[in-house]
Amino acid sequence: MPNRPPRTTTTRSRSALACALGIALLGLAIAGCEDDTAASGSGRRQSATRADLATDGDGGKTLRLGEPTSVTYKSGSDHLRGALRVTAMSVRKGTHAELKKAGAEPSDIRTTQPYYVTMTFENVGESSLHYPFLNTPTGLEDTGGVDDQPLITGDTEVAACPGKDPDDFAVGAKVSLCKVFLVPNGIRPSVVTYSTGDDTKRPVSWKVKH
């Protein structure tokens, strides 16, 4: 029979090598977990930083007219993500005579009342926005819970409600824009909404005072 001691020695050597490899692998696994945890924590911190820049934290809330909120803006011809400070400033009645003077009188003149919604926008991000269409996401909901129709004027400018977007919206720039909505007769505006960025299903709202 062959001698057992050499075999035992070989077995012990292999066991020692396996243990060493196991410890090494365990160490790598732990290190990897620590790296992943650190990276995960870093990612959370970075997300929080981005969120602090433009939180959309008021999405789903109803604010007072004149109260600003920060939103993430994802639009414009360059598709850049921007950060805006948006405020619904006022909602006031317009007249069909003003629309007619501008050549923008609607066909349903007898059944609707025009309202003018004025918004202010400030670019608080780090990028300029080219053809941003700032006012496009502005909406108006009436007391019946219906989204009222905006008056599409194209290049026509209603003098009482100027709403032409800037071609370029630079960092730090601020602009006030107005938008015309047609509300059915006998119904009143209820809330102004602004829906863009990451919370299109939870727009920011401003309560309209009567």
Side-chain angles (χ1 to χ4, degrees):
M1 291 181 64
N3 292 331
R4 293 185 180 276
R7 184 177 180 182
T8 302
T9 301
T10 302
T11 301
R12 288 178 179 175
S13 298
R14 289 175 179 171
S15 298
L17 180 59
C19 289
L21 287 173
I23 293 171
L25 290 173
L26 179 60
L28 289 173
I30 293 172
C33 290
E34 289 175 349
D35 289 343
D36 289 343
T37 302
S40 176
S42 174
R44 284 194 295 270
R45 286 193 295 273
Q46 289 174 0
S47 296
T49 301
R50 287 194 296 269
D52 289 341
L53 179 64
T55 61
D56 288 332
D58 291 323
K61 294 183 180 179
T62 301
L63 309 176
R64 301 183 304 274
L65 284 176
E67 188 175 354
T69 185
S70 294
V71 300
T72 301
Y73 190 80
K74 293 192 300 185
S75 188
S77 61
D78 47 16
H79 303 292
L80 284 177
R81 177 188 288 262
L84 300 178
R85 183 174 291 118
V86 182
T87 311
M89 299 301 298
S90 65
V91 179
R92 63 186 180 87
K93 276 187 178 182
T95 69
H96 283 287
E98 291 168 335
L99 302 185
K100 184 177 181 179
K101 186 176 181 180
E105 190 174 32
S107 58
D108 50 356
I109 180 174
R110 296 183 179 181
T111 60
T112 61
Q113 167 65 49
Y115 278 87
Y116 303 154
V117 177
T118 300
M119 307 284 290
T120 60
F121 304 92
E122 183 178 0
N123 187 345
V124 295
E126 299 178 352
S127 302
S128 295
L129 301 175
H130 188 56
Y131 292 123
F133 302 104
L134 298 173
N135 218 10
T136 301
T138 301
L140 184 66
E141 185 177 297
D142 61 37
T143 51
V146 177
D147 291 325
D148 295 305
Q149 293 299 312
L151 178 66
I152 307 301
T153 60
D155 294 331
T156 303
E157 187 78 7
V158 179
C161 185
K164 181 175 173 54
D165 267 83
D167 291 343
D168 290 284
F169 199 45
V171 174
K174 188 174 182 179
V175 67
S176 179
L177 300 174
C178 183
K179 191 171 182 177
V180 182
F181 288 88
L182 301 174
V183 180
N185 290 337
I187 304 294
R188 296 180 300 177
S190 177
V191 293
V192 178
T193 62
Y194 197 77
S195 173
T196 187
D198 298 323
D199 281 328
T200 54
K201 295 182 180 179
R202 299 174 61 250
V204 181
S205 301
W206 291 266
K207 183 68 176 177
V208 177
K209 295 181 179 180
H210 297 288

